[in-house]
Amino acid sequence: MKEKDFKNLLDLYLKGECTVDEKQYLESIFDQLSTEGEFDEKIVDKEAVMQRLKERIDLQIRRERLIRLPVILRVAAAIFLIASVAAFFYYKSNRIDPAQYVITTVPKGQKMKLTLSDGSTAMLNAGSRIRYPEKFNLDTRSVTLLEGEAFFDVKHNDEKPFVVETPGTQTEVLGTAFNVQAYKEFKEVKVTVIRGKVAVKEAVSGGQTPVLLLPDEQVTVNTATGYQAKTHINANESIGWIQGKFLFRNETLMNVALILQNSYNVKIEFKKEATKEIRFTANFDSTDSLEKILFAIAKANGLTYSIKDKIVLF
């Protein structure tokens, strides 16, 4: 039965003008639903579920003898009917089943490539954690980068945007390639576009206009204040880590240390807080020894260091 026809039938029922067969039809479906306990959406389509919901509420209205009450109450019942159906489908379309989600953690010193259910890929840097569904089945394709850094190559889909959530930002695309750096200790999130276009918005105040990024553009979002800074860069340098390179560009030693900790599975500490804020620029390969990189950092900044039991002290 079409939705329009059902509405007409429901109107007749509320007016007490249904035939015996029509009444039996409505009541039999309600009895069936009561027995089943809940709807089986694999068997019935959306329209059929809407009809069943309307029929259930209609029977409840009949049982309370609302049909004998003034017209205003019957109108109120109809409004309640519509709101209930809308709420049901909002819940159904937005609910998340935790059992369908996976959290993947990349051990320190390693990298990992994931292929998502839509064919999009995510390359994860050392020490990263990501939460994603086994299968995308909602209106959007959404993943959460809980910690670390990831390069996403997204399959284009006009009907389903691809969204990457981090603590402090939300990045939305249709199909593109971009890098997201979201180490908690950095206190900022960096999103860099390699191909396509993305929209990034901060999640602190939620009031700022999303920042649109094109290739070779990067936005840095302060996770504490929501402040956004957009710059032009060489985007390929942001994904040097995929090719096994460390490309530090005016980076603080604190941030350099955090990246080295994840890559070499060590702990780096500083005697003085001021040392953490020293800026450093250099290129290294991941095949270089940790000692070689530490020596270069110390020499460039007039520092000394020691290593004991995988703890480096500057």
Side-chain angles (χ1 to χ4, degrees):
M1 177 182 292
K2 294 182 179 179
E3 184 175 351
K4 182 179 179 181
D5 295 334
F6 176 81
K7 288 180 178 178
N8 291 334
L9 178 57
L10 183 58
D11 288 339
L12 292 173
Y13 187 73
L14 289 172
K15 295 176 183 178
E17 298 176 359
C18 273
T19 65
V20 174
D21 290 339
E22 289 169 340
K23 285 184 178 180
Q24 290 178 349
Y25 167 73
L26 294 176
E27 294 174 4
S28 65
I29 292 180
F30 174 75
D31 291 340
Q32 181 181 351
L33 288 171
S34 299
T35 302
E36 293 173 352
E38 67 179 61
F39 307 116
D40 187 349
E41 293 178 87
K42 296 180 179 179
I43 299 175
V44 297
D45 58 17
K46 183 175 180 178
E47 180 178 316
V49 175
M50 287 180 68
Q51 291 177 358
R52 288 185 175 188
L53 279 170
K54 292 175 182 177
E55 289 155 3
R56 177 182 292 211
I57 295 170
D58 176 66
L59 185 56
Q60 291 172 343
I61 293 171
R62 183 183 67 83
R63 284 180 172 175
E64 296 298 327
R65 298 183 178 180
L66 288 179
I67 193 171
R68 296 182 181 178
L69 296 177
V71 174
I72 186 64
L73 292 184
R74 285 191 275 125
V75 171
I79 293 174
F80 171 73
L81 169 69
I82 295 170
S84 298
V85 173
F88 175 83
F89 282 106
Y90 177 85
Y91 171 75
K92 284 293 185 180
S93 64
N94 288 278
R95 67 188 177 92
I96 297 175
D97 182 358
Q100 295 179 352
Y101 277 72
V102 176
I103 294 179
T104 296
T105 301
V106 183
K108 292 184 177 181
Q110 299 183 27
K111 299 182 184 69
M112 182 181 297
K113 183 178 181 180
L114 297 176
T115 299
L116 305 175
S117 65
D118 67 334
S120 298
T121 59
M123 177 66 75
L124 304 176
N125 207 346
S128 299
R129 288 195 307 133
I130 190 172
R131 180 178 183 270
Y132 59 96
E134 293 179 350
K135 182 178 180 181
F136 293 117
N137 55 6
L138 302 177
D139 293 335
T140 62
R141 299 170 288 169
S142 182
V143 302
T144 302
L145 182 60
L146 300 168
E147 161 75 6
E149 186 170 18
F151 170 73
F152 296 92
D153 196 342
V154 179
K155 290 289 185 181
H156 190 89
N157 187 333
D158 287 328
E159 297 180 354
K160 280 190 175 184
F162 190 97
V163 177
V164 178
E165 304 269 1
T166 72
T169 66
Q170 182 184 84
T171 302
E172 181 173 318
V173 304
L174 295 177
T176 184
F178 61 102
N179 193 75
V180 180
Q181 186 184 75
Y183 292 102
K184 291 179 180 178
E185 295 87 349
F186 280 21
K187 297 179 174 53
E188 61 185 20
V189 175
K190 291 182 179 179
V191 180
T192 310
V193 176
I194 287 79
R195 185 185 71 249
K197 180 173 67 174
V198 310
V200 182
K201 61 182 179 181
E202 54 85 22
V204 178
S205 65
Q208 296 190 23
T209 301
V211 176
L212 297 180
L213 299 178
L214 297 174
D216 288 330
E217 291 184 339
Q218 179 184 84
V219 65
T220 301
V221 181
N222 187 300
T223 55
T225 66
Y227 176 75
Q228 302 168 339
K230 180 178 175 180
T231 57
H232 288 268
I233 67 165
N234 180 351
N236 287 327
E237 291 187 351
S238 72
I239 57 173
W241 60 271
I242 297 177
Q243 286 80 40
K245 298 182 181 298
F246 298 116
L247 304 178
F248 301 119
R249 294 293 178 266
N250 196 35
E251 197 71 75
T252 65
L253 288 188
M254 181 181 70
N255 288 356
V256 170
L258 290 170
I259 291 173
L260 295 178
Q261 285 180 161
N262 286 326
S263 299
Y264 291 93
N265 195 20
V266 296
K267 185 173 180 60
I268 301 178
E269 299 177 346
F270 298 89
K271 294 178 182 178
K272 298 179 180 180
E273 287 296 315
T275 305
K276 297 179 180 180
E277 302 305 319
I278 295 175
R279 296 283 173 171
F280 183 66
T281 297
N283 295 347
F284 301 101
D285 291 325
S286 60
T287 54
D288 291 337
S289 67
L290 176 63
E291 287 77 7
K292 177 181 177 179
I293 298 175
L294 295 175
F295 178 81
I297 293 173
K299 186 175 182 180
N301 297 285
L303 303 172
T304 59
Y305 69 94
S306 62
I307 303 177
K308 183 178 181 180
D309 298 328
K310 287 192 173 184
I311 298 178
V312 179
L313 180 62
F314 274 102

